[in-house]
Amino acid sequence: MPFSAWLKDVSDAVLNRVDQYKNKDFANATIAIAAGVTAADGEVNEKEKEATATAIANNSGLKAFKTIDLITQYNAHLDIFEANPYLGKLEITKVIKKLKPTDQREAALVIGIMIAAIDDNLHENEVAFLREVCDWY
């Protein structure tokens, strides 16, 4: 099964139950994962930031939250990554661990992947970062 087909199947299932996660911690964890994937290759360019911001604004799993707040969180996470990638990972770990239920963490991860995979492709360094995130669960 191609990656895009798998992601659609998984995201459809997650989006059907995501309305129950309308809390700040869920939004922050989702955005932190997206920022971590964006920064996974060690450099962030404006085109990538703009594409990710558009994906955040258009993601139906995040419709309960104000887009400007999500973009502000995204930029804050990116700033930490750009200053110090190690601290960026520590911050994401802390944010994710605030999510107690496993299904809430899984939903944040899937939506983070949906945002990160806006080009229908995840590069090796992005996949490696997502594996690290899964290990934190």
Side-chain angles (χ1 to χ4, degrees):
M1 171 183 286
F3 173 74
S4 57
W6 171 85
L7 185 57
K8 181 175 179 359
D9 288 348
V10 172
S11 61
D12 286 348
V14 166
L15 292 175
N16 285 335
R17 65 176 198 262
V18 79
D19 283 340
Q20 62 188 308
Y21 309 134
K22 294 178 184 175
N23 64 66
K24 180 182 167 185
D25 291 338
F26 175 75
N28 196 20
T30 302
I31 296 305
I33 291 167
V37 173
T38 300
D41 64 0
E43 61 182 63
V44 179
N45 62 53
E46 285 304 312
K47 182 179 174 185
E48 189 174 18
K49 284 173 75 170
E50 288 173 15
T52 304
T54 300
I56 289 169
N58 294 329
N59 188 284
S60 61
L62 298 171
K63 66 182 180 245
F65 306 100
K66 291 182 181 178
T67 301
I68 190 68
D69 293 341
L70 297 173
I71 301 301
T72 300
Q73 287 175 348
Y74 173 74
N75 287 327
H77 285 295
L78 279 181
D79 288 346
I80 295 169
F81 262 100
E82 289 178 314
N84 185 323
Y86 178 75
L87 290 179
K89 285 183 182 182
L90 285 178
E91 180 64 21
I92 289 178
T93 303
K94 185 170 64 173
V95 167
I96 290 171
K97 290 194 178 204
K98 287 182 180 181
L99 300 179
K100 302 286 186 232
T102 302
D103 57 339
Q104 194 175 20
R105 288 181 181 184
E106 289 171 359
L109 179 64
V110 169
I111 293 174
I113 292 170
M114 289 168 61
I115 293 166
I118 52 177
D119 60 357
D120 285 330
N121 188 21
L122 287 175
H123 304 283
E124 282 184 44
N125 48 6
E126 295 168 335
V127 171
F129 172 78
L130 290 167
R131 283 189 179 123
E132 275 186 78
V133 171
C134 291
D135 289 343
W136 300 335
Y137 283 45

